[in-house]
Amino acid sequence: GAKVSQDDSLAVAKQAALAARRKRVLKRKLATMGDECDPCSKRDYSSVCPQGWGDLGNGLCEANKTYEGYCDRQQSFDGLTADDKRDFETLCQVCWPCAGDGEGFAECERALELPCPQGYSPVDIAYFDYGAANASCLADVDTECEPVVSFAGLSDKIEFSRRCDAHWKCRKECVVYAVCPTDWVHIGESICVAPMSYAKKEGCSSLQSFRDWTRGMKETFARQCAVEFPCEGRDGNDSDG
């Protein structure tokens, strides 16, 4: 048979190692993919862009500012099949919207106590206005709706969600919650400090000890004080202890 040079042999070996590594990475991502997306019975892969990405036209989409996946922030989905989008969803840590979820409430209970819908981020509050009743939300990408918006109450959020197809996160329950709410800083002894974007609610504090709090106590605090707790071990929050 034909002889293979040492350089060619090394190249083949490197390609095989790379393929094996990609397979391991894909397997790990497939194992965790279900935890990253809102629960759905079916996803709408006819939608041009992943959930929370901005539509730039001609099949081109741009990730929001909070995207921390492995892929480029601008992607063309022109001509991609549903299977292609499923592969991209897994490899790039994105989610397509739920099918039949046009009003944003059909597939799950939405956490409407949170200040902003997905695709928007709360704006830092000036020192002298800290504790303001309503947070302002800034769009992460260009949008046809208001780039900056605040909500006086639940009815405003529902109207905005239906008008702008902007959905709040699905409410999730954890077996064990992290010490601090999302974006709060753990300063030790189970004491957490709220970010400057936090609009305090009556009876809530921007400096809070969660020592020995039960799961139910954290769920009540989350609803009353407009925060969410990630599941323990996710989103970089420390665990109790």
Side-chain angles (χ1 to χ4, degrees):
K3 292 184 178 179
V4 178
S5 69
Q6 185 176 5
D7 288 344
D8 288 341
S9 296
L10 288 173
V12 171
K14 286 180 180 179
Q15 288 176 355
L18 181 59
R21 181 177 180 275
R22 285 174 175 165
K23 187 175 181 179
R24 290 195 301 271
V25 170
L26 179 58
K27 185 177 180 180
R28 287 198 300 270
K29 289 178 181 176
L30 283 169
T32 60
M33 185 62 199
D35 294 334
E36 301 297 329
C37 295
D38 289 341
C40 277
S41 58
K42 186 178 181 181
R43 297 203 173 275
D44 180 13
Y45 292 107
S46 66
S47 179
V48 176
C49 301
Q51 187 172 302
W53 286 46
D55 187 348
L56 303 180
N58 298 319
L60 187 65
C61 302
E62 183 176 43
N64 60 33
K65 294 176 183 177
T66 60
Y67 176 65
E68 296 180 348
Y70 299 95
C71 300
D72 290 341
R73 300 181 62 81
Q74 283 195 6
Q75 296 282 342
S76 174
F77 298 101
D78 187 34
L80 265 62
T81 66
D83 285 341
D84 293 333
K85 290 180 178 180
R86 285 191 197 95
D87 290 342
F88 184 88
E89 193 174 48
T90 302
L91 291 169
C92 297
Q93 295 184 309
V94 301
C95 307
W96 256 262
C98 297
D101 198 15
E103 293 188 348
F105 305 99
E107 293 289 341
C108 66
E109 181 187 0
R110 299 285 171 174
L112 290 169
E113 70 274 7
L114 297 179
C116 303
Q118 295 177 103
Y120 282 74
S121 299
V123 178
D124 285 354
I125 299 169
Y127 177 79
F128 292 107
D129 294 328
Y130 197 63
N134 299 315
S136 293
C137 303
L138 177 67
D140 295 326
V141 296
D142 290 339
T143 175
E144 294 181 1
C145 286
E146 298 94 315
V148 180
V149 63
S150 61
F151 306 99
L154 183 63
S155 60
D156 285 354
K157 292 181 177 180
I158 293 173
E159 186 278 331
F160 183 82
S161 181
R162 290 172 173 167
R163 175 168 56 86
C164 297
D165 196 27
H167 308 321
W168 269 256
K169 289 182 177 180
C170 287
R171 191 184 306 286
K172 293 182 180 179
E173 293 185 357
C174 305
V175 175
V176 179
Y177 290 105
V179 176
C180 300
T182 299
D183 295 330
W184 288 45
V185 177
H186 185 202
I187 61 174
E189 302 292 333
S190 298
I191 298 172
C192 304
V193 180
M196 286 301 297
S197 60
Y198 178 61
K200 288 196 298 183
K201 303 297 180 183
E202 184 177 354
C204 301
S205 174
S206 57
L207 179 68
Q208 179 68 52
S209 171
F210 295 101
R211 177 173 288 279
D212 298 326
W213 278 41
T214 65
R215 172 182 168 182
M217 291 168 68
K218 289 187 173 181
E219 288 174 351
T220 298
F221 182 88
R223 289 175 182 266
Q224 292 179 347
C225 297
V227 300
E228 64 171 345
F229 286 88
C231 297
E232 185 178 276
R234 290 182 56 188
D235 295 349
N237 284 36
D238 299 327
S239 60
D240 283 303

